[in-house]
Amino acid sequence: MKHPVGYNANPRIRWTEWLPWVLAVIVFFALPDYLSMGARVLTYILFALSLDLILGYAGIITLGHAAFFGMGAYVTGIISVKLGVTDPFLQLLASALAAGLLGLLTGAVIMRMHGLTQLMLTLAVAAVCLEIANKATHLTGGADGLAGVVVAPVLGMFKFDLYGKTAYWWCLGLLFVCWWLVRRMIYSPFGASLNGIRENRVRMEAIGAPVTARLVIVYTVSAVMAGLAGALLTQTNQVVGLNVLGFEPSGELMVMLILGGVGRLYGAFVGPIVFLVAQDYLAKQFPEYWFFGIGLLLVAVVLFARGGILGICDGLIAKVRGRS
Amino acid sequence: MSAVLQTAKLCKSFGALTVAANIDFALEPGARHALIGPNGAGKTTFVNLLTGRLEPTSGSVMLGGEDVSALSSAERVKRGLGRTFQINTLFGNMSVLDNVALGVAERRGGAAKWWKPASAYKEVRDEALELLASLGIADDAALRVLDLPYGKQRLVEIAIALGLRPKVLLLDEPAAGVPKDESERILDALGNLPKDIAILIIEHDMELVFRFAQRITVLVQGEVLCEGTPHEIEHDPRVREVYLGEAHV
Amino acid sequence: MEAFLSSLVSVAFHGVAFGMILYVISVGLSITMGLMGFTNLAHGVFAMAGGYVLVSALARFQMPFPLALLLSFVLVAAVSVVLERLLYSRLYGAAELEQVLFTIGLIFMSVAVARLIYGTLQQPVLLPDYLKGQFSLLGRDFPAYRVFLIGFSAAMIGALWFGIERTIWGAMVRAAVDNRAMAQSIGINTKRLFTITFAIGSGLAGLGGALGADIVAIQPTYPFEQLVYFLIVVSVGGLGSLRGPFVAALLIGITDTACKYWVPEFGAFFIYVATIGLLLWRPAGLFGRRA
């Protein structure tokens, strides 16, 4: 795992780090028919980034990250359909607050635990959320979900249309802001201490660090980001359903992240792109083989390529450098 | 002189098993004190009781005159109690510099800052480098800790503890596992430790103990057998019988 | 009053049946997690597999019921040995994240295979005639199959507990759960112990899945949906213990049945909330020794 952080690290943004953004702009002009797909990819990159924070950097295994994603998705849906709040900024704010609150409350409890108990609690929280969404039909639409989510034009000017142009820039903009903030955090002393917690929690406590408090903070930040991603999904699809909650989206997200490379900022970028593009082509044709394939991929990555795609790239680069 | 670290009738039992019985102990400022005893005597348990990793069944631990028996490890660290571990407990994949810098940052209070990059906090970096230099490993600052030879890793362990500017330093077998050709480096480092820190060292290596300690406490089966100067301990028949008979002095 | 008492008995009865099934399936997970320290989230796959074996044996091959049950145990245990030797054993020392990811991958793969072979619908279980109908007990009528289920599970559990308490295998398991390094140094062949124990635990899961096919429907999403329940049983009961998960499983079985009967609008909500509360109160589980 590459963690270029710490007190000696150079925080300047390398030119290679601008490539994803350049690529994103190029896609807007070169692939105008794929913008909704693009918005979807950007949404999942944000979601994966939030998971990477807690899983890759803080080292906490969670099976229930979809709870925050779902919370964000449903809050935006509910305030639009039930309360008529259609301003996209307000929707994002509401989702961020709701998901953040859930993250803070559950995190304060879960971060004190260890091992199976901690894992179980993350799963239980997500299960409770799914159950509530399923049963509170008057609020969430139950198994049918909520349709007809209205999103007003951004700043009164840019409509969310069928071609997905506004959606694309909207997602890209939010992702950029979040990426920039996460990057600052990773290079900061706080980020260095997260590394320490992941590397050796006992040692971290022995140097007087308030480990649980730090973990709760990063858990809450991660929940806010996941909630924002969920809100984006609802805004771009104008519907929200039970498929944003539960174990499956958490599991799929883990595949995306592992595929790209856990614990690396850009693993959260590479993974979802590869996964969603492949899913778009393959899953439609052979849905069962697709599902089998990602399971197999996960097993293979764990056994043979723990650093994911970026890890393999690192290996190749090292080999090339070794020769020259 | 009032003791900087003290225990009064400290006891710890796990059910019917008593691992510490009525331990009265006092560490003076600037002390060079060693704790010895046969395997299973309860030395590491005692250290864990001192640092807060274990809660005593009865009795108290006083740090700087304050009763800290109910405080957590982190809180005792903040009050000036540092320790090293018997088995290296390092941030293995991080650099030597970062290992020490993390502790320095916690002490200085800026460890939770999230906006400016860590490398902008030059004071933290410089202090960490100074510490490494005082132990002779400043050149290895950028290296990954796990890539260092074991003896140097042990020094990083000490450096981290020093970064906390402790008033009391508990060294749990600092020479443990260090090959003979590297142990001289450890001995030098121990000799160079700041004079105002009170140091309690737990060791099996008798050469190190007799070279380093001004006072020695002997612990047997969770109880203090006796305490005194190295000369007194060396010639105490009870100690010979229980412990020194096994070692070669 | 009479009606309330009647429904009370009914809920208790069905709750116990569900609890027994949960225990038979989950006890293997508790032992392997306590013994091998391996977080096997894919445990539900073995239960599902056992269910599918039973269903196929009865429907396609017209096997007698007892034989089909036996087959579900044996076949699943055999497959689990292969998986353990080839794949699981490579990750014994690995970080928890890797074990979690690996088992999630296994779940995905088996769900896909189940869908491919059997489709997405629930599998109907063709019970033999002698197990259908009602069984009269103390003046009440109970579904005969559930009575059989409770009795048979109790027998299996009894056999397991006897095995753990009285046999050499059991003694080795208990020693190794307590202190693995120590067990190895006194000459216990932990590799073989792990394989045998894993096989028994997975076989039991298959048996439980088969027996319980009537209560917990066999369908491809089984490992996803039931994972929560198995993990609750193990974490509330306490890792590596035998009695703890038994109590936990019965509690969950009865509570879940009661909730679904009297307050169906809340569904499994109470179970999850109760689990959270219990784990906060006792992080090591009701009977666990370590968190």
Side-chain angles (χ1 to χ4, degrees):
Chain A
M1 284 192 199
K2 281 187 80 171
H3 292 100
V5 298
Y7 287 84
N8 241 348
N10 185 350
R12 302 211 59 180
I13 301 182
R14 292 176 280 280
W15 69 271
T16 47
E17 296 186 67
W18 291 113
L19 284 181
W21 308 106
V22 171
L23 190 65
V25 172
I26 292 177
V27 163
F28 179 78
F29 293 106
L31 300 169
D33 297 328
Y34 289 93
L35 292 183
S36 338
M37 168 71 168
R40 190 180 162 76
V41 169
L42 293 169
T43 302
Y44 274 91
I45 291 179
L46 182 60
F47 190 21
L49 199 57
S50 78
L51 184 64
D52 204 15
L53 256 187
I54 195 75
L55 188 64
Y57 281 95
I60 303 284
I61 304 179
T62 165
L63 291 177
H65 211 57
F68 308 116
F69 187 67
M71 176 65 112
Y74 268 101
V75 162
T76 290
I78 291 173
I79 66 173
S80 168
V81 170
K82 304 284 174 184
L83 298 176
V85 175
T86 57
D87 179 60
F89 288 101
L90 281 181
Q91 289 173 342
L92 284 186
L93 185 65
S95 288
L97 284 176
L101 191 63
L102 183 65
L104 182 63
L105 291 175
T106 55
V109 160
I110 294 180
M111 293 303 118
R112 285 180 212 285
M113 306 289 162
H114 301 265
L116 176 64
T117 308
Q118 187 180 58
L119 196 67
M120 184 63 242
L121 285 172
T122 61
L123 198 57
V125 166
V128 167
C129 290
L130 179 60
E131 200 63 16
I132 294 178
N134 201 5
K135 298 289 178 180
T137 332
H138 56 282
L139 198 60
T140 63
D144 296 324
L146 291 172
V149 173
V150 177
V151 186
V154 177
L155 300 176
M157 288 189 286
F158 306 98
K159 264 186 63 163
F160 281 86
D161 60 13
L162 280 172
Y163 298 101
K165 288 201 179 112
T166 308
Y168 189 81
W169 286 113
W170 182 242
C171 293
L172 188 61
L174 186 63
L175 179 64
F176 185 80
V177 170
C178 288
W179 165 81
W180 191 69
L181 287 173
V182 166
R183 198 180 181 284
R184 281 207 92 94
M185 191 167 78
I186 287 174
Y187 277 93
S188 73
F190 184 80
S193 76
L194 272 190
N195 247 2
I197 293 174
R198 193 198 63 252
E199 277 287 328
N200 198 326
R201 190 169 172 153
V202 167
R203 186 26 110 181
M204 213 54 198
E205 280 165 2
I207 62 173
V211 169
T212 307
R214 300 258 166 94
L215 285 176
V216 173
I217 293 176
V218 76
Y219 196 70
T220 308
V221 169
S222 164
V224 166
M225 278 176 58
L228 285 173
L232 281 183
L233 194 72
T234 303
Q235 287 177 330
T236 50
N237 290 342
Q238 274 108 44
V239 298
V240 56
L242 289 178
N243 60 327
V244 297
L245 287 167
F247 186 52
E248 264 192 66
S250 293
E252 271 191 359
L253 184 69
M254 281 189 141
V255 179
M256 289 187 221
L257 190 57
I258 275 37
L259 183 59
V262 188
R264 319 169 59 116
L265 194 53
Y266 298 102
F269 282 69
V270 169
I273 293 177
V274 172
F275 184 92
L276 288 171
V277 167
Q279 184 183 50
D280 199 49
Y281 278 119
L282 299 173
K284 302 261 173 58
Q285 319 264 345
F286 322 104
E288 292 333 320
Y289 293 105
W290 163 254
F291 215 58
F292 184 82
I294 53 177
L296 187 61
L297 184 73
L298 202 46
V299 170
V301 166
V302 169
L303 288 178
F304 304 116
R306 285 181 198 179
I309 291 179
L310 288 185
I312 295 176
C313 287
D314 275 348
L316 288 175
I317 292 176
K319 279 220 181 92
V320 168
R321 285 226 182 99
R323 266 188 236 144
S324 63
Chain B
M1 258 198 315
S2 65
V4 64
L5 180 64
Q6 205 168 2
T7 71
K9 298 206 175 350
L10 197 62
C11 294
K12 179 65 182 175
S13 319
F14 293 102
L17 179 68
T18 305
V19 289
N22 277 318
I23 300 184
D24 287 328
F25 177 79
L27 195 66
E28 307 298 329
R32 295 290 186 263
H33 201 125
L35 182 68
I36 66 175
N39 276 322
K43 305 191 289 295
T44 301
T45 306
F46 182 60
V47 170
N48 285 337
L49 284 167
L50 290 175
T51 56
R53 273 186 88 188
L54 276 180
E55 240 184 271
T57 312
S58 67
S60 61
V61 179
M62 318 270 283
L63 182 62
E66 188 192 340
D67 190 335
V68 297
S69 317
L71 294 184
S72 66
S73 297
E75 280 161 359
R76 296 186 204 194
V77 167
K78 287 254 180 298
R79 283 164 172 71
L81 181 63
R83 79 169 286 179
T84 64
F85 290 88
Q86 189 176 351
I87 301 177
N88 272 341
T89 310
L90 302 167
F91 303 112
N93 286 307
M94 295 172 76
S95 70
V96 171
L97 179 72
D98 281 334
N99 268 265
V100 179
L102 280 180
V104 171
E106 288 298 332
R107 196 200 80 236
R108 296 184 85 116
K113 299 247 190 313
W114 65 276
W115 184 250
K116 289 204 309 199
S119 48
Y121 291 88
K122 295 255 183 294
E123 330 80 66
V124 173
R125 244 187 76 200
D126 292 340
E127 194 182 318
L129 280 172
E130 259 177 59
L131 272 170
L132 291 176
S134 77
L135 289 168
I137 46 175
D139 292 334
D140 301 319
L143 292 179
R144 190 168 147 257
V145 153
L146 283 178
D147 291 337
L148 290 178
Y150 196 77
K152 283 196 177 173
Q153 289 185 26
R154 266 348 237 135
L155 288 178
V156 177
E157 181 86 16
I158 297 175
I160 297 177
L162 287 177
L164 301 170
R165 297 255 180 91
K167 299 193 204 93
V168 179
L169 186 56
L170 307 174
L171 299 172
D172 198 346
E173 296 194 43
V178 177
K180 268 286 168 231
D181 51 344
E182 294 188 55
S183 57
E184 193 59 35
R185 209 201 300 262
I186 309 270
L187 292 172
D188 279 344
L190 291 179
N192 285 333
L193 289 172
K195 297 281 176 265
D196 53 339
I197 304 183
I199 301 185
L200 176 65
I201 180 169
I202 298 157
E203 251 308 334
H204 281 294
D205 183 338
M206 284 299 125
E207 183 196 336
L208 199 157
V209 169
F210 280 95
R211 210 168 117 172
F212 175 81
Q214 287 157 3
R215 287 197 75 75
I216 301 179
T217 298
V218 184
L219 202 67
V220 179
Q221 288 183 335
E223 280 183 20
V224 174
L225 181 68
C226 56
E227 189 195 308
T229 63
H231 184 86
E232 290 166 5
I233 296 297
E234 202 181 354
H235 293 101
D236 189 320
R238 295 172 296 169
V239 177
R240 284 214 125 99
E241 184 190 318
V242 159
Y243 183 60
L244 284 176
E246 299 167 21
H248 304 287
V249 179
Chain C
M1 193 58 203
E2 174 63 40
F4 177 68
L5 259 179
S6 177
S7 53
L8 204 62
V9 169
S10 178
V11 163
F13 175 75
H14 289 279
V16 167
F18 182 34
M20 297 288 242
I21 290 296
L22 270 183
Y23 180 67
V24 171
I25 295 178
S26 312
V27 67
L29 184 59
S30 171
I31 297 181
T32 54
M33 283 187 77
L35 175 69
M36 291 139 62
F38 193 99
T39 312
N40 181 19
L41 298 181
H43 192 73
V45 168
F46 297 116
M48 177 179 79
Y52 274 120
V53 166
L54 179 83
V55 157
S56 295
L58 291 177
R60 286 190 207 183
F61 300 99
Q62 269 95 43
M63 247 187 235
F65 190 74
L67 194 60
L69 267 188
L70 182 66
L71 194 67
S72 64
F73 179 90
V74 170
L75 213 55
V76 172
V79 170
S80 79
V81 168
V82 173
L83 282 176
E84 194 263 346
R85 288 281 95 219
L86 283 183
L87 297 176
Y88 277 85
S89 51
R90 288 177 188 236
L91 292 172
Y92 280 156
E96 198 188 345
L97 177 62
E98 267 136 14
Q99 295 174 350
V100 165
L101 292 174
F102 167 71
T103 49
I104 292 179
L106 280 186
I107 297 181
F108 276 5
M109 279 165 60
S110 34
V111 167
V113 166
R115 273 207 273 252
L116 275 171
I117 301 182
Y118 292 98
T120 54
L121 297 174
Q122 287 179 19
Q123 298 298 313
V125 183
L126 299 175
L127 291 174
D129 288 330
Y130 55 86
L131 284 178
K132 287 192 204 162
Q134 303 291 319
F135 187 83
S136 218
L137 195 67
L138 302 174
R140 282 211 138 80
D141 274 340
F142 296 101
Y145 185 67
R146 303 274 167 116
V147 174
F148 161 72
L149 198 153
I150 294 180
F152 189 75
S153 305
M156 286 288 100
I157 294 169
L160 179 70
W161 287 8
F162 180 81
I164 293 278
E165 298 292 320
R166 295 297 170 91
T167 63
I168 298 190
W169 163 73
M172 291 200 283
V173 169
R174 276 180 290 130
V177 167
D178 233 0
N179 192 330
R180 197 176 317 152
M182 203 51 176
Q184 262 174 328
S185 60
I186 62 174
I188 293 183
N189 183 344
T190 46
K191 254 187 17 184
R192 211 174 38 188
L193 185 65
F194 284 5
T195 309
I196 296 177
T197 311
F198 192 74
I200 294 182
S202 310
L204 273 177
L207 185 62
L211 269 178
D214 196 43
I215 308 181
V216 184
I218 303 295
Q219 55 194 358
T221 48
Y222 190 104
F224 280 131
E225 287 171 8
Q226 308 305 322
L227 176 63
V228 192
Y229 282 108
F230 304 146
L231 284 182
I232 290 180
V233 168
V234 173
S235 56
V236 166
L239 267 182
S241 103
L242 271 189
R243 310 268 189 270
F246 183 65
V247 174
L250 284 179
L251 275 178
I252 291 170
I254 297 177
T255 315
D256 190 64
T257 309
C259 287
K260 295 229 166 95
Y261 186 71
W262 278 309
V263 278
E265 326 83 64
F266 285 102
F269 183 74
F270 285 129
I271 299 272
Y272 301 140
V273 170
T275 302
I276 294 175
L278 241 153
L279 283 179
L280 295 183
W281 174 50
R282 282 216 195 287
L286 287 174
F287 298 88
R289 268 157 294 168
R290 41 171 180 258

